[in-house]
Amino acid sequence: MRRRLLVVLTTLALSLPAGGAFAACKLGIMAELPVTMAGLRPMVTAQINGTDAQFIADSGAFYSLITPAGAAEFKLRLSSVPFGFTLKGVGGYADVSLTTVKVFTLAGFPIRNIEFLVGGSDPGGGSVGLLGQNVFRVGDVEYDLAKGVIRLMHPDDCGHARLAYWVTGSEPYSVIDIASTTPTLPHTIGTAFINGAKIRVMFDTGAATSVLSLSAAKRAGVTPESPGAVDAGYWHGIGRSLSKSWIAPFSSFKIGEEEIRNTRLRIGDVGLDNTDMLIGADFYLSHRIYVATSQHKLYFTYNGGPVFNLTSSPSTKAATDPAADEPSDAAGFSRRGAAFAARHDYQHAIADFTRACELAPGEADYFYQRGIARWQNEQPDLAAEDFDQALKLKPDDVSALMARAELRLRGKDNAGASTDLDAVDRVSAKEADIRFTLARDYVRADLLPQSVVQYDLWIASHSDDSKLVMALNDRCWLRALSGQDLGDALADCNAALNRSPKDGPINAQIFNSRGMVRLRMGDFDRSIADYDAAIKLQPKYAWAVYGRGLAKLRRGKNSEGQSDIAAAIALRPRIADELKKRGIAP
């Protein structure tokens, strides 16, 4: 793919002078890829055989990839990969195959008969896959995510020129050496220092937040048990498993000429050999970065604002000065607004989205984007108005329908939410990842049968996804609560436990679900055993304590049963009422 892509894109070469005193150096722009941040996911719109498709720009992916569900949705034919080929990342290994897209259109250029890998977990954000290094290594590449663009660059006679061409005068910039690449090891790898300890870093736009490996953190004197370290839950990547993570304080992170003191970083399993840290989209948003593969160097400048701690309020200096390089059209304002929103700078985001709406009042997506920013800015009524307007302009817009449904669920308008969820169900492909979210939102709307239908569709197309264990457990639980298809429910719980590792994050929930199935089936001794296993993992798990109480009562252990039920009600006062409406009572 790399050779064919280079041939196509170099037809758009434009000349730019490079910085410094190297007059002979010229930079050609092979292509500009507009990027819209969906949270911390840099999204690029392409076309698969003439139909729009969203991809995550993932500089950490060695090759471009389409998910199995995406391949099914676009009716792409699969073939086998060479024997011994494996795909590994965060979350471990994933099954992989190949497909060929007859016409893949990127940046307006049609590229014919392009191969993609097929495999891995769904990356989220409405994307069907990843654009990887076989795209970004056709030449040099500039990442300017704060302004919503990635540029594929062609340097000419620039061997020793300063390629941070946007830097003027005495403005500070950093430059670091990066490792030579090969077709099988094409990643951007450099060196940084954490608490003074040297580490090997990979620049990875596909990682939403930067993450340091546990071994590198330990070399820097930090472990999950260190003072100030807190549980950060689980995260997932291409592999089929979830990975545990923590947020921990570090006294120093230094890369190039830039040092960040007293910061907090995510630590966990990065899933890659010979890499100590993934430098993620949070870093990219606060920097303009030029990857000079031609020189084996990486240039970057700081845009302002927080680098890693994106949960804090924005700095007094915005990520990009809104007065500088003002966008010239609605799309430009939209992309810059999305970058502001990703950094939680909602004031500037809403202003940019408003300008986009003014310049293109017929474009539904700009109203949707402003609605999301207003919702995040705790303005739900204004958000609802924007979602309504987006849906007036585009009634089948899945993103706006889902956003309005979830806003209505928050306001206890289950009927209105159900109408929107039903609309999403009608217009979405049966393989779409959105069905996982649909299933969970139907539960919030107290529509359990509809939720099971969504899980049926999602599970059928996501057999190797990191969320599969959760989906199997959820479907088991819903069937148990409803008292229907209990044999299928038991099979779901058993499959979830078989797939989940011994220290899996939801094992307590799976044992609880299976305990309820066996309670419904009258298998009280095994039900009690499952509830015991759930409580051992999570001692204050009210659902498991209550369920065990019911099983003990049915087994004739009245005193123990009543004691469990009382303990569960103390933990969750309304639990008896919640189960009674499902026909489950002492």
Side-chain angles (χ1 to χ4, degrees):
M1 176 176 177
R2 177 172 172 161
R3 181 184 62 79
R4 282 175 284 176
L5 187 62
L6 180 60
V7 170
V8 171
L9 294 180
T10 51
T11 61
L12 187 65
L14 302 173
S15 292
L16 289 174
F22 301 90
C25 173
K26 300 292 182 182
L27 292 177
I29 301 177
M30 292 188 287
E32 284 196 349
L33 305 182
V35 177
T36 299
M37 298 302 299
L40 288 170
R41 298 182 182 95
M43 309 295 294
V44 173
T45 300
Q47 288 189 332
I48 296 175
N49 297 330
T51 300
D52 282 352
Q54 294 290 310
F55 286 82
I56 294 176
D58 187 354
S59 63
F62 90 98
Y63 206 82
S64 298
L65 175 145
I66 294 174
T67 64
E73 180 178 345
F74 282 89
K75 298 178 172 56
L76 301 175
R77 299 180 65 178
L78 304 184
S79 59
S80 299
V81 295
F83 178 77
F85 184 90
T86 58
L87 187 63
K88 182 185 179 185
V90 174
Y93 289 92
D95 294 333
V96 64
S97 54
L98 282 173
T99 193
T100 299
V101 175
K102 290 182 179 179
V103 182
F104 181 70
T105 305
L106 181 66
F109 294 95
I111 309 162
R112 297 187 180 277
N113 299 318
I114 294 300
E115 285 187 336
F116 283 81
L117 296 176
V118 178
S121 297
D122 198 295
S127 66
V128 299
L130 312 172
L131 292 182
Q133 282 291 358
N134 59 317
V135 171
F136 299 127
R137 284 294 188 186
V138 297
D140 290 356
V141 58
E142 178 190 349
Y143 298 91
D144 193 3
L145 299 191
K147 294 176 184 172
V149 65
I150 295 173
R151 298 181 181 92
L152 304 182
M153 308 293 286
H154 178 66
D156 183 16
D157 201 11
C158 299
H160 299 287
R162 184 197 73 198
L163 295 183
Y165 65 88
W166 60 91
V167 174
T168 60
S170 60
E171 289 182 80
Y173 72 96
S174 288
V175 57
I176 65 171
D177 293 331
I178 56 176
S180 298
T181 62
T182 68
T184 56
L185 295 171
H187 302 103
T188 304
I189 304 288
T191 297
F193 297 85
I194 188 77
N195 289 359
K198 186 176 180 179
I199 59 172
R200 186 176 170 90
V201 299
M202 177 192 293
F203 289 81
D204 183 2
T205 56
T209 57
S210 301
V211 59
L212 182 70
S213 73
L214 292 173
S215 59
K218 187 176 182 179
R219 295 201 307 270
V222 176
T223 71
E225 292 75 37
S226 295
V230 297
D231 190 329
Y234 290 80
W235 65 312
H236 73 89
I238 202 70
R240 59 176 65 96
S241 301
L242 299 175
S243 294
K244 188 81 174 68
S245 68
W246 297 261
I247 302 293
F250 291 85
S251 60
S252 170
F253 173 82
K254 187 176 188 299
I255 185 166
E257 300 303 313
E258 183 175 306
E259 183 173 12
I260 304 163
R261 292 189 173 274
N262 301 318
T263 189
R264 297 176 66 79
L265 290 172
R266 183 183 296 270
I267 62 175
D269 179 11
V270 301
L272 298 170
D273 299 329
N274 301 317
T275 297
D276 296 314
M277 183 177 184
L278 301 179
I279 300 291
D282 50 0
F283 186 91
Y284 278 81
L285 277 168
S286 55
H287 295 83
R288 188 168 179 175
I289 297 173
Y290 187 102
V291 180
T293 306
S294 57
Q295 296 180 343
H296 305 303
K297 294 185 182 296
L298 182 145
Y299 299 82
F300 64 93
T301 55
Y302 174 56
N303 291 332
V307 176
F308 299 122
N309 185 12
L310 297 181
T311 60
S312 64
S313 298
S315 166
T316 54
K317 181 181 179 183
T320 299
D321 181 358
D325 300 323
E326 194 76 358
S328 60
D329 59 9
F333 279 105
S334 166
R335 293 195 301 273
R336 191 176 71 172
F340 281 132
R343 296 176 59 83
H344 306 282
D345 185 352
Y346 301 122
Q347 179 182 353
H348 285 117
I350 291 168
D352 272 357
F353 292 142
T354 297
R355 188 68 181 126
C357 291
E358 292 168 350
L359 290 172
E363 177 55 56
D365 194 50
Y366 302 152
F367 289 94
Y368 162 74
Q369 288 179 303
R370 188 173 67 177
I372 292 294
R374 282 173 161 172
W375 190 359
Q376 292 170 327
N377 200 40
E378 299 182 356
Q379 297 172 292
D381 292 339
L382 291 175
E385 292 177 9
D386 278 337
F387 298 149
D388 288 344
Q389 180 61 26
L391 290 166
K392 284 181 182 178
L393 295 168
K394 190 177 179 182
D396 61 351
D397 187 283
V398 168
S399 297
L401 284 165
M402 287 299 295
R404 190 171 69 178
E406 291 174 358
L407 191 60
R408 285 172 165 175
L409 286 170
R410 180 172 139 173
K412 308 300 182 184
D413 179 9
N414 286 2
S418 175
T419 298
D420 286 339
L421 297 175
D422 289 347
V424 174
D425 175 42
R426 287 194 298 272
V427 302
S428 296
K430 68 178 185 297
E431 305 90 353
D433 188 56
I434 196 65
R435 295 196 178 276
F436 184 90
T437 306
L438 266 177
R440 294 199 156 187
D441 282 350
Y442 271 125
V443 172
R444 293 173 62 193
D446 200 27
L447 298 169
L448 273 55
Q450 291 89 327
S451 178
V452 170
V453 169
Q454 298 304 317
Y455 279 126
D456 289 344
L457 292 168
W458 188 90
I459 289 169
S461 300
H462 293 80
S463 61
D464 201 39
D465 197 283
S466 61
K467 300 194 295 289
L468 180 60
V469 170
M470 290 183 280
L472 288 167
N473 172 68
D474 287 353
R475 190 169 66 176
C476 173
W477 175 245
L478 293 174
R479 286 169 165 164
L481 282 182
S482 303
Q484 297 178 349
D485 301 320
L486 294 177
D488 291 337
L490 185 60
D492 276 346
C493 274
N494 287 337
L497 280 172
N498 288 336
R499 187 179 178 91
S500 183
K502 290 184 178 180
D503 59 349
I506 67 165
N507 284 356
Q509 296 175 46
I510 302 172
F511 281 118
N512 173 68
S513 298
R514 194 170 70 176
M516 180 60 71
V517 173
R518 286 172 164 166
L519 175 68
R520 288 282 210 178
M521 297 175 80
D523 190 352
F524 303 129
D525 287 337
R526 288 186 177 181
S527 176
I528 291 169
D530 279 336
Y531 285 129
D532 284 341
I535 294 164
K536 182 178 180 180
L537 292 171
Q538 194 172 325
K540 294 185 178 181
Y541 194 177
W543 291 100
V545 175
Y546 195 93
R548 187 175 67 177
L550 293 176
K552 286 180 175 179
L553 288 178
R554 284 157 174 70
R555 193 67 178 79
K557 299 179 179 180
N558 293 334
S559 178
E560 292 181 28
Q562 292 295 346
S563 178
D564 273 347
I565 287 173
I569 291 172
L571 292 168
R572 189 183 181 98
R574 297 193 59 190
I575 190 169
D577 293 335
E578 293 175 82
L579 287 174
K580 186 176 180 180
K581 71 179 182 180
R582 307 294 179 195
I584 304 169

